Amino acid sequence: MKIIKNLALGVSFIMSTQLVSAASTGTTLETVSPEADRIALQNFYKKRFPNTELQDYVNGIYAVDADSRTQWEDIEAFPPYEFDVEEGERLFNIAFANGKGYADCFENGGIGIRQNFPYWNKEEGTVKTLEQEINECRESNGEKALKWGKGPIAQISAYMAWTSRGKVFDISIPDGDKKALAAYLDGKKFFYSKRGQLNLSCANCHVQGSNIRIRADLASPALGHTSHFPVFRSKWGELGTLHRRYKGCHQDSRSNPLDMQSETFRNLEFFQTYMSNGLVVNGPGSRK
Amino acid sequence: MRKLTTSMCVTGLVALLATSPASALTVEESIAEGKAVYMGKSRGNCISCHQINDPDANLPGNQGPPMFAMAQRFPDKRILRAQVWDATKNNPISIMPPLGKHWILSEEDIDAVVEYIYQF
């Protein structure tokens, strides 16, 4: 199996008291500039981890922590998600009761299109994710929706990602579309806002705290967070979707987590994937 | 006369409360309690971010500075306590949770953990 990797190994730094200014543009519709935000975030990591190549951020924590990378490479030699990709392909190709299938719902028969998600849907005025459209495809063909976090939906998503490996994310925010920009901004604010009893933002751990130990855990850089989902996580012992992970991390701040595929989580995925524009699809992935 | 009795009763009650459990802890008990707060995942969980030179500190994190030379660096214990009570006062984007302000720990727990780290 071809795994996207780059042998430039990361060096870890301890910089806990450094002030983080990765959110360089504003938090209002008038002042926010997604492209400037993306460049600022990438520059932040370039400075923080000068030995890590940009393309390597699709590998999460393993892009910056040499120790855990070796273990992970051993795991990837016999990928734990292999069965799920095969099962996903089988599920993808089973026809619905009405004779149609997933291939009829997506561009290019659903093959090699993972990099186009999530995207701004102007007609519906909302961000659409791949998992959301998998379920919409089912429902519009008279089938029941699947559960969001794991199982068949993650397997189908894994197969679709598998057929798209190496394709470049290029999420766009249509020029002059204020609603699309507002969705991006909602995701950005969610990422940087402190919340919960522990008063933690996503950025606390994944920007300023990235690759610094919280007990025995190392949080990954936020860049590339969305590239490799769904993920086979050893702790879960199975495959799970991005929104399952969002829910868990949201809960870790001692908050009541939002629902998977809620509008704000979709906006968060929109923001995070935009930040990763230029990186490639390498899902499904495996993580500790 | 009636008023006087009531106020005497109140004074008595206040006096009773003032000598109730928290202040009855000896320094050793307070330090032992503080250690439990420091290590406990569902309590302070300080160990997840701060190294400390205690042989029982297993797999500490390093998000924050090590607990070292505390008495020298914080001659005024109240400043140390204030840092634990609300770290966002000094650094609004601090990853350190505001343990007192957000009612993560009780005031007694905070006193105890301050006693514990003050030895290092």
Side-chain angles (χ1 to χ4, degrees):
Chain A
M1 286 203 170
K2 186 167 162 261
I3 297 156
I4 309 294
K5 44 181 140 172
N6 189 307
L7 286 173
L9 294 182
V11 177
S12 31
F13 285 118
I14 298 168
M15 300 180 151
S16 54
T17 49
Q18 164 198 328
L19 223 88
V20 173
S21 57
S24 75
T25 75
T27 48
T28 66
L29 277 178
E30 289 67 43
T31 55
V32 72
S33 159
E35 202 44 23
D37 286 348
R38 187 178 71 87
I39 290 164
L41 192 67
Q42 296 191 351
N43 284 341
F44 168 83
Y45 288 118
K46 255 186 220 158
K47 255 174 105 178
R48 177 101 171 229
F49 307 115
N51 296 327
T52 298
E53 297 288 334
L54 188 62
Q55 280 303 333
D56 208 26
Y57 281 95
V58 296
N59 296 322
I61 187 62
Y62 313 116
V64 292
D65 178 52
D67 286 349
S68 54
R69 185 174 185 116
T70 319
Q71 289 175 320
W72 170 72
E73 283 175 342
D74 289 344
I75 294 173
E76 283 275 348
F78 302 95
Y81 47 75
E82 210 163 10
F83 162 78
D84 291 303
V85 173
E86 282 164 18
E87 184 61 12
E89 179 172 13
R90 194 183 70 81
L91 293 170
F92 184 90
N93 289 315
I94 296 176
F96 301 137
N98 68 2
K100 297 224 163 154
Y102 294 107
D104 299 311
C105 296
F106 292 98
E107 219 186 310
N108 199 35
I111 304 302
I113 58 165
R114 179 65 187 85
Q115 70 285 0
N116 302 331
F117 290 88
Y119 72 96
W120 175 252
N121 184 313
K122 202 173 166 65
E123 295 72 52
E124 297 182 35
T126 196
V127 168
K128 303 300 288 280
T129 66
L130 179 62
E131 285 81 9
Q132 187 182 19
E133 292 208 334
I134 289 173
N135 262 343
E136 284 178 4
C137 176
R138 295 180 60 84
E139 287 180 309
S140 66
N141 284 296
E143 303 284 327
K144 271 207 190 134
L146 299 168
K147 289 206 164 140
W148 294 124
K150 55 184 176 182
I153 205 163
Q155 291 170 324
I156 294 165
S157 171
Y159 167 66
M160 292 176 79
W162 177 253
T163 67
S164 317
R165 276 195 170 189
K167 304 225 173 197
V168 179
F169 282 103
D170 185 16
I171 305 302
S172 72
I173 299 171
D175 261 348
D177 189 332
K178 279 270 183 286
K179 266 189 102 176
L181 191 62
Y184 167 89
L185 190 58
D186 183 50
K188 174 179 171 179
K189 280 188 184 161
F190 188 87
F191 185 82
Y192 287 103
S193 302
K194 286 178 154 292
R195 65 176 57 80
Q197 192 188 27
L198 297 182
N199 202 42
L200 292 170
S201 65
C202 314
N204 270 150
C205 293
H206 292 289
V207 180
Q208 75 201 88
S210 56
N211 201 27
I212 303 175
R213 287 196 185 279
I214 305 174
R215 200 82 200 248
D217 289 327
L218 286 171
S220 51
L223 207 58
H225 256 177
T226 57
S227 68
H228 53 285
F229 272 85
V231 151
F232 189 102
R233 191 178 176 207
S234 313
K235 193 179 150 195
W236 292 335
E238 61 184 8
L239 200 68
T241 59
L242 177 65
H243 287 223
R244 179 180 181 186
R245 187 57 150 152
Y246 278 173
K247 205 172 166 184
C249 270
H250 189 183
Q251 201 155 23
D252 284 344
S253 62
R254 291 198 195 151
S255 302
N256 253 334
L258 293 172
D259 290 333
M260 293 183 272
Q261 301 299 332
S262 61
E263 186 170 20
T264 295
F265 271 179
R266 283 183 286 114
N267 291 344
L268 176 64
E269 181 177 342
F270 192 47
F271 163 73
Q272 284 216 290
T273 312
Y274 188 93
M275 289 298 101
S276 301
N277 268 352
L279 301 181
V280 297
V281 177
N282 67 331
S286 64
R287 292 291 184 270
K288 197 176 96 173
Chain B
M1 188 59 203
R2 179 117 167 263
K3 224 176 180 174
L4 190 66
T5 346
T6 328
S7 70
M8 276 168 70
C9 282
V10 171
T11 323
L13 199 67
V14 169
L16 201 75
L17 278 175
T19 54
S20 64
S23 56
L25 285 185
T26 63
V27 177
E28 290 73 41
E29 283 167 338
S30 184
I31 287 175
E33 187 58 23
K35 178 168 171 171
V37 170
Y38 194 93
M39 309 292 176
K41 188 167 183 202
S42 58
R43 299 188 78 184
N45 202 16
C46 318
I47 189 171
S48 66
C49 298
H50 295 286
Q51 296 174 333
I52 194 161
N53 194 14
D54 181 321
D56 294 330
N58 182 27
L59 295 175
N62 58 359
Q63 290 281 341
M67 297 291 103
F68 169 74
M70 299 312 276
Q72 288 92 312
R73 296 193 302 121
F74 294 90
D76 185 346
K77 222 189 252 181
R78 288 172 304 180
I79 291 175
L80 180 58
R81 193 184 192 281
Q83 166 71 27
V84 180
W85 201 83
D86 180 14
T88 64
K89 215 139 183 222
N90 287 327
N91 173 11
I93 64 160
S94 180
I95 193 175
M96 177 161 160
L99 292 131
K101 189 180 173 200
H102 276 201
W103 295 30
I104 299 164
L105 293 177
S106 67
E107 299 298 322
E108 290 78 14
D109 281 351
I110 292 177
D111 289 336
V113 81
V114 167
E115 281 308 324
Y116 168 68
I117 60 180
Y118 211 61
Q119 314 168 82
F120 291 90

